[in-house]
Amino acid sequence: LDLSSILCGGSFSAVRLMNSHIFQLQMFRMGLTRRELKQFNTKRLWSVVLMENLPQLAIQGYLLWMLKESSVISISSIVFSSISMLVTILGLATDREIYFNEKTLIMSVRVTVEDSQGRCCSLKKTLEKDLAMLLE
């Protein structure tokens, strides 16, 4: 996970990748539940918005006020930091709303087939794999 954090540019992207089940490889099955992923992503609000963007905005605003001189770069930086904060907060609020309004369905299917000699064979593993590919 440490190496993937470095390669992905942060722990939030790394956890998402390591829990993605990509290519159905075991190394990408971290095993976090959706609730655990939501709790982890909520930490993004605190770490990115409150600990990075908000102090940056405060320092930039203070310097602009003290110097009483603004440039296109400093104003653009403030605008884009504000947009980043807004998008992060709205994204987390949307994810939370979707999570609490989401409905789930548990389904169970058993399929048996007679082979050429009249014996019943269970196709559970094949059916599970095919259904998993269809539902992803």
Side-chain angles (χ1 to χ4, degrees), residues 20-21 24 34 102 104-109 126-136:
S20 67
H21 309 286
Q24 296 183 348
R34 291 184 68 166
E102 186 176 58
T104 59
L105 171 70
I106 298 174
M107 183 174 81
S108 175
V109 177
T126 305
L127 187 61
E128 279 179 351
K129 184 175 141 188
D130 291 344
L131 278 175
M133 287 183 356
L134 283 174
L135 296 176
E136 286 183 350

Side-chain angles (χ1 to χ4, degrees), residues 112-122:
T112 55
V113 179
E114 284 191 25
D115 64 3
S116 61
Q117 296 159 343
R119 297 176 294 189
C120 289
C121 307
S122 176

Side-chain angles (χ1 to χ4, degrees), residues 37-118:
L37 283 172
K38 290 292 173 205
Q39 289 173 341
F40 184 73
N41 280 330
T42 302
K43 292 179 187 341
R44 187 167 105 198
L45 174 67
W46 299 106
S47 68
V48 173
V49 172
L50 296 178
M51 298 299 174
E52 290 179 21
N53 291 356
L54 202 56
Q56 177 185 350
L57 280 175
I59 292 170
Q60 287 173 338
Y62 178 73
L63 287 174
L64 282 175
W65 180 69
M66 289 298 291
L67 297 175
K68 296 185 183 8
E69 186 178 313
S70 62
S71 69
V72 174
I73 293 174
S74 59
I75 299 298
S76 298
S77 177
I78 290 173
V79 168
F80 287 120
S81 290
S82 301
I83 290 171
S84 173
M85 287 174 48
L86 182 65
V87 167
T88 301
I89 291 169
L90 289 176
L92 288 172
T94 302
D95 285 348
R96 181 183 171 159
E97 190 68 26
I98 289 170
Y99 178 75
F100 285 116
N101 290 319
E102 186 176 58
K103 306 291 185 235
T104 59
L105 171 70
I106 298 174
M107 183 174 81
S108 175
V109 177
R110 180 175 171 84
V111 177
T112 55
V113 179
E114 284 191 25
D115 64 3
S116 61
Q117 296 159 343

